[in-house]
Amino acid sequence: MTPPHQTLSHQFQPAGQQQRERDPAMWCAIIAAGFFFLVLHRLGIPSKPMFDEIHYLPAARRLIDLTARLNPEHPLVGKQLIAWSMELIGDTSFGWRFPSAVLGGIGLWAMMRGLWWASLSRSATILFGLLIATDFVWFMMSRIAILDMAMAGFMALAIWQWALAWRNPSGKPPRARLHLVLTGLFMGLSLGAKWNGVLLLPLPGLLFAWNRWEALKGRRAGLLWTSRGFGPVPGVSLIEAALWLGVLPLLIYFTTFLPAFYYEKDPLSVGKLWHWQQYMLQLQDSVKKPHTYMSRWWQWMANIRPIWFLYENIDGAQRGVLMLGNPFTMLAGLPALLFCAWDGFRGKRLHLLVFAAYVLLVGFWAVNGKPVQFYYHYMLASCFLLAALALVLGEWWDLGLRWPAKVTLVLAFGLFIGFYPILSAGELPRKDSYRDYTWLNSWK
């Protein structure tokens, strides 16, 4: 019988695994470092703003001089990071994009570490890192000065710390508590960058409550809130968990608005803070003018409506940046999600959680009334898509069926290499070189 405090860890462990595999920390570091240095290649090209950088760069400059608000429909963390980079490195194209590059590398590391501590599967963890690194989306969002990588990078750090708290490899309650605190901190920073990950914020707290309830079966219900000696994190009561996973993220989020209190024109105040959140929501819903590259959730899933971040003659050559998902892995992940759902309903809770997170994130945009949506809104959901693919391929690999993972990696890397010039603003040989990459008319 599994002790109550081990319930979640036991259920997260892959079937048939009798002992923990060797931690692939070195592989995680190599993959993340290699990815980061590749992102830095040509990071300053184009030398002028591309796509939505035209909105966030002026807003970041106003955070430097604190004269007035710009881009008020979004929180400040992402813009503040760009502003600090401008001050430290310089108001140049490399300086604008450097924070996204850093968070892209750190976020990739955190994603891998999160899956490792949740699954204890070495093969799935390494596959996951390689799949995200070659999925096109994470790479391109690490190379542009907009808010999404700050949102996703901090969310990845939160997921890592959350998985560490549940697993608690040290066995020491104070260490698990620290991981819960860091989970709340990073969730607040993610929300303070952009609201896209808001649906993931309640999940750690809800899962904590559910697992505590399961651990207390047959005992007094009154222990649910105050008990400390049961799973999922022994030593931490549900009341304390609500503080770290519910109250702390909100406090961090509202604290990120502190620079706005010092604007010369129309500074924010405590009394205006809640009203400002409502105003931000109104501004986001007010954008109704159709955009050339707007798309819908089902087009994201089918990978048929990308965005041209750039296509023009600039910096001495014809260059382009096509915001597209990897044509193979973005589709291969869909049946993997169904495998995860099937395994999840048969008792593998990590698989079910990955499937549910994907459905939650995509479903939100399916029912959201926001009239103008873009493919990059799929970034967080696509991480869970690739986690599903990694878990399925990793299980097959461990069972000796290795050719599906090998074929997947060959295709993923082959497509990444083939598309690399159009992902990284490389020199293109012709003015109409976009035809070499736009296999579908909807990609043009």
Side-chain angles (χ1 to χ4, degrees):
M1 179 178 178
T2 303
H5 69 275
Q6 295 179 2
T7 301
L8 190 65
S9 296
H10 176 75
Q11 290 164 339
F12 271 7
Q13 190 166 330
Q17 184 172 326
Q18 301 300 316
Q19 59 185 0
R20 191 206 303 181
E21 299 177 12
R22 187 160 50 93
D23 188 340
M26 182 59 71
W27 276 108
C28 294
I30 291 171
I31 293 169
F35 175 84
F36 173 67
F37 286 113
L38 186 60
V39 166
L40 293 182
H41 180 230
R42 287 201 293 262
L43 184 64
I45 296 176
S47 57
K48 72 173 189 179
M50 63 175 171
F51 196 60
D52 278 356
E53 289 180 336
I54 61 173
H55 302 300
Y56 303 123
L57 299 181
R61 295 184 184 111
R62 296 293 75 77
L63 279 169
I64 294 174
D65 58 36
L66 293 175
T67 52
R69 287 193 192 105
L70 284 181
N71 186 241
E73 62 267 33
H74 291 298
L76 302 184
V77 168
K79 292 172 282 191
Q80 185 66 69
L81 291 174
I82 297 171
W84 285 338
S85 185
M86 286 177 173
E87 292 183 292
L88 181 65
I89 298 176
D91 193 345
T92 64
S93 52
F94 185 89
W96 310 332
R97 297 170 189 144
F98 188 68
S100 289
V102 171
L103 282 167
I106 292 174
L108 177 58
W109 157 267
M111 285 285 191
M112 288 185 281
R113 301 308 293 162
L115 189 65
W116 163 248
W117 289 117
S119 68
L120 295 183
S121 171
R122 179 182 174 87
S123 53
T125 299
I126 295 172
L127 285 167
F128 186 40
L130 295 174
L131 291 174
I132 291 186
T134 57
D135 78 341
F136 296 13
V137 176
W138 197 268
F139 177 76
M140 282 180 288
M141 299 304 284
S142 299
R143 293 176 49 86
I144 185 170
I146 59 178
L147 311 181
D148 296 74
M149 187 47 70
M151 174 274 298
F154 284 122
M155 185 59 71
L157 287 166
I159 291 171
W160 170 31
Q161 292 301 310
W162 175 43
L164 259 177
W166 255 247
R167 187 67 64 181
N168 192 16
S170 71
K172 299 176 181 178
R175 293 292 291 273
R177 179 177 292 108
L178 174 61
H179 294 312
L180 285 180
V181 172
L182 290 174
T183 301
L185 169 66
F186 290 131
M187 286 196 301
L189 290 174
S190 176
L191 189 62
K194 202 172 184 180
W195 288 353
N196 289 32
V198 66
L199 289 178
L200 296 181
L201 266 61
L203 290 184
L206 291 174
L207 285 171
F208 190 105
W210 176 256
N211 279 271
R212 178 59 54 84
W213 173 265
E214 286 192 320
L216 287 170
K217 279 183 178 178
R219 297 173 176 86
R220 288 187 296 115
L223 292 173
L224 178 65
W225 289 95
T226 58
S227 63
R228 294 176 177 269
F230 301 92
V233 184
V236 177
S237 70
L238 182 55
I239 293 176
E240 183 183 351
L243 174 64
W244 304 133
L245 300 176
V247 177
L248 180 60
L250 293 177
L251 289 177
I252 296 296
Y253 170 73
F254 286 116
T255 301
T256 63
F257 286 88
L258 188 61
F261 284 67
Y262 297 95
Y263 281 123
E264 293 179 12
K265 182 180 179 182
D266 192 23
L268 198 58
S269 66
V270 174
K272 296 178 181 178
L273 194 54
W274 179 248
H275 171 73
W276 191 255
Q277 310 306 306
Q278 297 173 306
Y279 181 52
M280 291 165 62
L281 183 61
Q282 292 172 7
L283 288 175
Q284 292 188 32
D285 289 340
S286 68
V287 180
K288 301 182 184 297
K289 183 179 179 181
H291 191 284
T292 305
Y293 298 119
M294 61 188 293
S295 56
R296 305 297 294 177
W297 62 274
W298 58 269
Q299 294 173 308
W300 308 341
M301 294 178 65
N303 202 29
I304 60 174
R305 190 59 183 145
I307 306 167
W308 281 99
F309 281 171
L310 173 80
Y311 198 81
E312 62 181 281
N313 194 300
I314 188 172
D315 296 318
Q318 183 69 40
R319 302 179 187 275
V321 177
L322 179 61
M323 171 62 180
L324 173 73
N326 187 300
F328 178 72
T329 55
M330 285 295 181
L331 298 180
L334 296 175
L337 279 167
L338 297 180
F339 277 110
C340 279
W342 174 253
D343 287 341
F345 287 118
R346 294 170 62 197
K348 294 182 180 179
R349 291 201 172 178
L350 176 59
H351 294 64
L352 185 60
L353 179 60
V354 167
F355 172 78
Y358 177 84
V359 171
L360 182 67
L361 289 169
V362 175
F364 168 76
W365 291 104
V367 301
N368 189 304
K370 188 176 176 69
V372 180
Q373 301 174 12
F374 296 100
Y375 183 68
Y376 58 75
H377 291 144
Y378 190 55
M379 180 171 64
L380 264 187
S382 70
C383 292
F384 290 96
L385 176 85
L386 296 176
L389 183 57
L391 286 169
V392 171
L393 293 176
E395 286 193 355
W396 290 351
W397 181 280
D398 294 338
L399 292 170
L401 184 64
R402 298 188 171 183
W403 69 262
K406 293 178 180 179
V407 169
T408 296
L409 290 179
V410 167
L411 290 173
F413 274 89
L415 288 165
F416 183 84
I417 293 168
F419 276 77
Y420 182 73
I422 206 76
L423 305 178
S424 62
E427 295 186 20
L428 301 176
R430 308 181 313 275
K431 187 174 182 179
D432 65 346
S433 289
Y434 69 89
R435 296 181 182 275
D436 300 334
Y437 303 96
T438 49
W439 300 349
L440 304 177
N441 284 333
S442 61
W443 290 5
K444 295 179 181 178

